[in-house]
Amino acid sequence: VKHLLSIADLDRGQIIDLLDMADHMAEVGRRPVPKVPALRGKTVVNLFFEDSTRTRLSFDAAAKRLSADVMTFSASSSSVNKGESLRDTVETLTAMGADIFVVRHRSSGVPRRITEWTSASVVNAGDGWHQHPTQALLDCFTLREALCSSDLSGVRIAIVGDVRHSRVARSDVLAFTRLGASVVLVAPSTLLPPDIASWEVDVVHELDAVVADVDVIVLLRMQRERMDQALVPSLVEYTGRFGLTPERARRLRHGAFVMHPGPMNRGIEITVDPSSLPGSLVTRQVTNGVAVRTAVLYALLEGASSEVVR
Ligand code: NCD
């Protein structure tokens, strides 16, 4: 494949191949010198029109592990502020030799549109409410690692919170179910997407209904910047029904895992310190993000020759 725009474009076998490649990249990352020459001479452009900490920096680290050159564009300090269009920006960076664009944008569909304006590969690093495929891959990778299993068959996963505004939830649901997991969404109806009937998931409206039964809980951030109307009566009430509180953490199954893509709103969707939970995978998610993004850059730029990196 040339681009990674949505988990919907990947079948189970392609997801497993990327995760297996990420296992190999994680091994590279543990070496004293965590670097291979695989993408020497290639240029990775980080094109971020929306704020990001871990996604941007982990793509940056991933490109460097592969010895690629990295150019980082941030909208806030660019000629976009002088009115330059997205298309002109992409054409300018293509003319500078970009081989791959890593794109984050607040509007859904922007990464796909960019593929029409450049010969370079495009990775979607989060577009609006739509997709964030590398987050879903790193979540799958982290669960495979935690469960010591090659896929997620038979695993019951709850995704809790602001599903409506969440590209992470849209991506996770597709990836988790393709790997054999079953998913239950836990949210008030105002925070569910309008097309929920077509999703392959169960839905409940209280975290207490499933907290003691699931193998994995994925907490989502309350996306206050995407809410143009009050969709929850109050944040205190939200925490009361959907937050991972100390009482609910005590009711988790023995061996259950807790995940959060970050950034966390402490005190809202989570009121326990995740580092105090034995099953917390939050920091593993961040560490694994680099290995997974390394695998994605490698697969898109060198995939055809697909020889394993040494
Ligand atoms: C998420 C995002 O930006 O989509 N964060 C991330 O990439 N780790 C989730 C969020 O913003 O809540």
Side-chain angles (χ1 to χ4, degrees):
V1 287
K2 176 159 186 187
H3 308 295
L4 177 59
L5 302 175
S6 169
I7 295 291
D9 301 333
L10 301 177
D11 62 25
R12 173 193 159 85
Q14 288 169 311
I15 295 173
I16 299 269
D17 285 349
L18 281 168
L19 299 180
D20 290 346
M21 174 89 75
D23 283 330
H24 183 71
M25 295 303 181
E27 183 272 308
V28 169
R30 288 189 293 268
R31 295 179 190 172
V33 181
K35 223 173 159 89
V36 288
L39 296 187
R40 203 158 49 190
K42 303 276 190 195
T43 299
V44 176
V45 176
N46 282 326
L47 197 58
F48 278 64
F49 291 92
E50 200 188 66
D51 297 343
S52 168
T53 303
R54 58 218 101 216
T55 304
R56 185 167 54 77
L57 293 175
S58 62
F59 270 109
D60 197 79
K64 288 171 179 163
R65 275 192 190 174
L66 295 166
S67 308
D69 295 315
V70 187
M71 294 201 279
T72 295
F73 165 97
S74 43
S76 57
S77 59
S78 74
S79 290
V80 168
N81 292 327
K82 300 178 187 168
E84 185 161 41
S85 73
L86 180 61
R87 182 174 185 157
D88 285 336
T89 303
V90 168
E91 288 178 353
T92 300
L93 291 161
T94 303
M96 287 183 198
D99 293 294
I100 188 161
F101 286 99
V102 177
V103 182
R104 168 164 293 193
H105 199 283
R106 95 181 99 71
S107 302
S108 300
V110 163
R112 189 175 299 277
R113 194 81 175 107
I114 288 176
T115 64
E116 295 163 15
W117 298 329
T118 179
S119 51
S121 291
V122 177
V123 182
N124 182 357
D127 62 331
W129 303 1
H130 175 230
Q131 278 280 311
H132 190 358
T134 60
Q135 180 70 45
L137 292 172
L138 80 87
D139 289 344
C140 291
F141 182 93
T142 301
L143 280 175
R144 276 203 335 171
E145 175 186 67
L147 297 159
C148 302
S149 144
S150 61
D151 68 8
L152 305 181
S153 45
V155 181
R156 180 96 171 132
I157 304 176
I159 300 180
V160 187
D162 187 1
V163 177
R164 182 185 177 92
H165 300 97
S166 177
R167 55 195 174 210
V168 174
R170 284 179 180 74
S171 309
D172 273 351
V173 165
L174 291 176
F176 291 161
T177 53
R178 274 166 206 204
L179 294 188
S182 63
V183 176
V184 55
L185 302 179
V186 185
S189 22
T190 48
L191 293 181
L192 287 170
D195 64 341
I196 187 67
S198 64
W199 293 34
E200 278 178 53
V201 293
D202 297 322
V203 176
V204 297
H205 300 297
E206 303 287 340
L207 182 49
D208 286 324
V210 295
V211 72
D213 304 326
V214 293
D215 304 302
V216 180
I217 291 195
V218 176
L219 299 169
L220 299 172
R221 183 173 64 88
M222 268 300 257
Q223 305 213 1
R224 285 176 286 181
E225 78 280 16
R226 296 194 207 280
M227 291 200 195
D228 34 27
Q229 49 199 319
L231 296 176
V232 288
S234 77
L235 291 175
V236 173
E237 185 173 322
Y238 177 86
T239 305
R241 281 176 67 196
F242 301 99
L244 187 62
T245 58
E247 301 72 55
R248 291 198 178 103
R250 276 193 289 278
R251 293 180 53 212
L252 287 171
R253 275 177 66 163
H254 180 72
F257 294 108
V258 175
M259 306 176 79
H260 194 305
M264 270 189 286
N265 289 308
R266 289 180 191 260
I268 299 177
E269 67 264 8
I270 183 159
T271 65
V272 279
D273 181 2
S275 62
S276 72
L277 300 172
S280 171
L281 298 176
V282 174
T283 47
R284 290 307 301 160
Q285 288 174 277
V286 177
T287 301
N288 292 336
V290 180
V292 166
R293 288 168 178 133
T294 306
V296 166
L297 293 178
Y298 181 77
L300 295 183
L301 286 174
E302 284 299 302
S305 56
S306 215
E307 219 199 293
V308 166
V309 179
R310 260 176 271 282

